[in-house]
Amino acid sequence: MTPRVVATDLDGTVVRSDYTVSERTVAAFARVERAGAMLVLVTGRPPRWMRSVAHAVAHRGLAICANGAITYDLHTEQVVDTHLIPVDRLRTAVAVLGEALPGLGFAVERGDGMAYAHGFELSYWDSQTTPPPSPIEVLLSRPAAKLLARHPELEADALLDEARRLVGDLVLPTHSNGDRLIEISAPGVSKASTLAELCARHGIDADDVVAFGDMPNDLPMLAWAGRSYAVANAHPEVLAAVHHKVPGNDEDGVARTLEELFPA
């Protein structure tokens, strides 16, 4: 049956290694909408990193950002809904993680931007656009979409294991890359939870959803959707979790699959 919803991750899934979205992928997304199906981009990116994507996909579809914490309208480039980490859980998570893992640096993402404390190592992109660091008390003064934690040595998989052990009953840790960084959401908030809410509002069941992903933060969504695909370059846990594999992000694997699901 033709899906009613196509939910796809961005980086490492449809965004190529050179950070572009191919013309073939844009054309495949257009097929989805012409067929009357809903296109949902489900990403760990915050809204501030979505403008280039919105332009690349011709403002098609809706985006679930920050691993489910923020819903973002690509047509208007506006935040339309949020699921934030409460201040008390934010403070407790930082205290527990900071004590157990010396050297860990912290930052927060909100719908209106990013703030980071002294000791948090910025990525290349953030170092070009982000203001100076703030006291940790400022970061923890109001709810956040995501808590970011980067370690000077521990790789992301090992760091995620530690975070789940230490604060997994308080918040929801995950990761979307191997750059010594984990991303933490409010309890119960994931790509899957917000996608399920969106589908429920439109009377759509999981069986009518196809999903594509490549990293551990995609696993809840891939488990929830009726049909799930991993790109060939996906994390080993993701490749082991799904029954369907497609060519990698640099080979337009998602676009090829959408062309089959939505024939001209």
Side-chain angles (χ1 to χ4, degrees):
M1 293 178 62
T2 302
R4 295 179 64 189
V5 173
V6 171
T8 181
D9 174 54
L10 288 175
D11 297 289
T13 301
V14 296
V15 176
R16 294 182 160 207
S17 299
D18 62 0
Y19 303 109
T20 63
V21 179
S22 73
E23 292 183 6
R24 185 173 184 177
T25 295
V26 173
F29 287 169
R31 279 190 191 216
V32 172
E33 292 206 323
R34 282 199 303 270
M38 185 189 305
L39 173 67
V40 188
L41 306 182
V42 192
T43 178
R45 289 190 185 203
R48 62 196 174 87
W49 284 3
M50 293 301 293
R51 177 157 293 179
S52 61
V53 174
H55 290 300
V57 302
H59 295 270
R60 289 190 177 89
L62 194 69
I64 293 172
C65 298
N67 295 329
I70 297 174
T71 305
Y72 184 75
D73 189 330
L74 291 168
H75 299 272
T76 62
E77 297 188 33
Q78 296 293 318
V79 172
V80 296
D81 196 13
T82 59
H83 296 284
L84 306 180
I85 309 171
V87 168
D88 58 339
R89 290 181 182 254
L90 200 60
R91 289 175 175 166
T92 303
V94 167
V96 172
L97 290 170
E99 181 178 356
L101 300 168
L104 202 60
F106 296 100
V108 293
E109 287 281 4
R110 300 188 176 96
D112 57 0
M114 175 191 185
Y116 65 101
H118 292 276
F120 181 80
E121 179 186 340
L122 292 173
S123 69
Y124 172 77
W125 286 0
D126 284 329
S127 67
Q128 309 301 304
T129 59
T130 306
S134 302
I136 191 69
E137 294 79 13
V138 173
L139 268 66
L140 308 180
S141 63
R142 58 190 177 104
K146 279 201 304 185
L147 171 65
L148 306 175
R150 179 173 272 123
H151 196 272
E153 297 175 356
L154 281 177
E155 289 303 318
D157 286 339
L159 185 57
L160 179 57
D161 287 343
E162 285 294 296
R164 284 172 172 164
R165 180 180 65 82
L166 292 163
V167 295
D169 58 344
L170 182 73
V171 287
L172 182 62
T174 188
H175 87 74
S176 61
N177 63 69
D179 198 18
R180 297 174 285 105
L181 178 73
I182 55 170
E183 305 159 45
I184 298 171
S185 302
V189 175
S190 68
K191 290 187 174 187
S193 65
T194 304
L195 179 60
E197 286 180 5
L198 174 64
C199 290
R201 287 199 294 269
H202 291 270
I204 298 171
D205 295 328
D207 288 344
D208 293 317
V209 179
V210 296
F212 300 87
D214 75 312
M215 292 299 286
N217 63 330
D218 295 315
L219 286 169
M221 174 178 73
L222 297 174
W224 179 81
R227 210 178 332 167
S228 295
Y229 299 81
V231 288
N233 53 285
H235 188 282
E237 285 186 30
V238 176
L239 290 170
V242 302
H243 296 295
H244 306 288
K245 281 95 173 171
V246 301
N249 60 322
D250 289 331
E251 286 73 46
D252 291 334
V254 173
R256 294 186 194 187
T257 307
L258 293 178
E259 289 163 1
E260 296 173 0
L261 295 172
F262 297 88

